[in-house]
Amino acid sequence: MVDGSSEYEGRVEIYQKGRWGSLCKPLSHVEASYICRHLGYLGGIASEPGYFGEGSGVFWNMNFTCLLSRQCSIARPVLDSSLCDHKYDAGVICDNMIRLWFESKDDLKVKRNTGFLEIHHREEWIPVCSDNWTENNSKVVCQQLGYNGGMATPPTEEVMTYHPDTSVFYSNITCTGSEKRLTACESALKMNGCSSKLPVFIQCKQ
């Protein structure tokens, strides 16, 4: 990962057979998560194409199935590079994942599309404050998780009282609704006070 502001992020570059190069096509969040886990992180998301600047060298096509096996090559050179442009080199952000999570009173299987919002940062899940939370914020969260939309609601009856492992909250997040990931919103990675001491509870829908 090259040209990021920390070791957790950057433009994806691959070295193979004496040559460095970048990826020709944009990454999905799922593909970015594969790359991050291959590098030893818990997971991650894709950046906007070209977000970490232009690379150089050859263009690679990546076979993500081969990250799990030594029986095939992870990357192959692009045969027709006229379809590629270093201005759109793919990047990943490996530390900042989001999840919706809650404990069920009756121990039923937890729904992936419903729960208290948390952001993964430096080996901890940090809750997001419900104060001043907006509909646009919920839209960005749910779309990042693969849903069409969603909204913040009071916790459903099946949810146990939330007891975070930390007293720290992310708060004052402001999204326009056009962002592809929550961490692109204003103040998304700033830890501020949370007057209500309550994390936001979100229900996403297809």
Side-chain angles (χ1 to χ4, degrees):
M1 293 183 287
V2 182
D3 290 342
S5 60
S6 75
E7 70 269 29
Y8 300 105
E9 62 181 25
R11 183 176 62 254
V12 176
E13 296 198 353
I14 297 173
Y15 181 80
Q16 186 170 265
K17 296 181 179 179
R19 294 184 294 176
W20 280 101
S22 52
L23 297 177
C24 178
K25 73 179 188 70
L27 294 170
S28 69
H29 290 321
V30 172
E31 291 169 337
S33 187
Y34 279 135
I35 291 173
C36 290
R37 290 202 298 270
H38 185 70
L39 294 173
Y41 296 95
L42 184 62
I45 58 176
S47 69
E48 292 291 327
Y51 183 80
F52 295 108
E54 296 183 31
S56 59
V58 300
F59 289 103
W60 301 105
N61 279 324
M62 194 165 183
N63 186 335
F64 291 91
T65 303
C66 294
L67 286 174
L68 307 175
S69 170
R70 295 187 179 182
Q71 304 304 314
C72 56
S73 176
I74 291 174
R76 296 182 181 277
V78 175
L79 298 179
D80 182 6
S81 61
S82 65
L83 302 176
C84 309
D85 191 326
H86 281 299
K87 290 192 298 185
Y88 305 108
D89 281 347
V92 295
I93 302 169
C94 288
D95 190 36
N96 303 313
M97 293 169 48
I98 64 173
R99 71 176 181 182
L100 299 177
W101 179 91
F102 69 88
E103 287 187 84
S104 173
K105 290 178 180 177
D106 52 12
D107 244 2
L108 293 174
K109 186 177 180 181
V110 174
K111 301 173 184 176
R112 180 177 172 271
N113 68 324
T114 301
F116 296 104
L117 176 62
E118 297 180 326
I119 298 176
H120 187 263
H121 184 62
R122 297 188 178 180
E123 302 183 357
E124 286 189 87
W125 285 103
I126 310 296
V128 177
C129 183
S130 59
D131 297 350
N132 304 314
W133 187 259
T134 69
E135 184 178 336
N136 281 337
N137 292 1
S138 297
K139 176 184 176 182
V140 173
V141 167
C142 291
Q143 289 183 345
Q144 181 175 334
L145 291 172
Y147 298 95
N148 289 329
M151 64 182 68
T153 68
T156 54
E157 291 183 1
E158 63 187 313
V159 178
M160 293 181 64
T161 303
Y162 183 84
H163 297 290
D165 295 329
T166 175
S167 59
V168 176
F169 282 81
Y170 286 114
S171 59
N172 300 327
I173 297 173
T174 305
C175 302
T176 65
S178 63
E179 296 88 351
K180 300 297 184 183
R181 63 188 193 283
L182 186 64
T183 51
C185 299
E186 185 178 347
S187 300
L189 290 181
K190 293 183 180 178
M191 297 181 190
N192 303 297
C194 182
S195 298
S196 68
K197 303 296 182 185
L198 295 174
V200 63
F201 188 88
I202 296 175
Q203 295 190 61
C204 298
K205 57 187 178 181
Q206 294 291 1

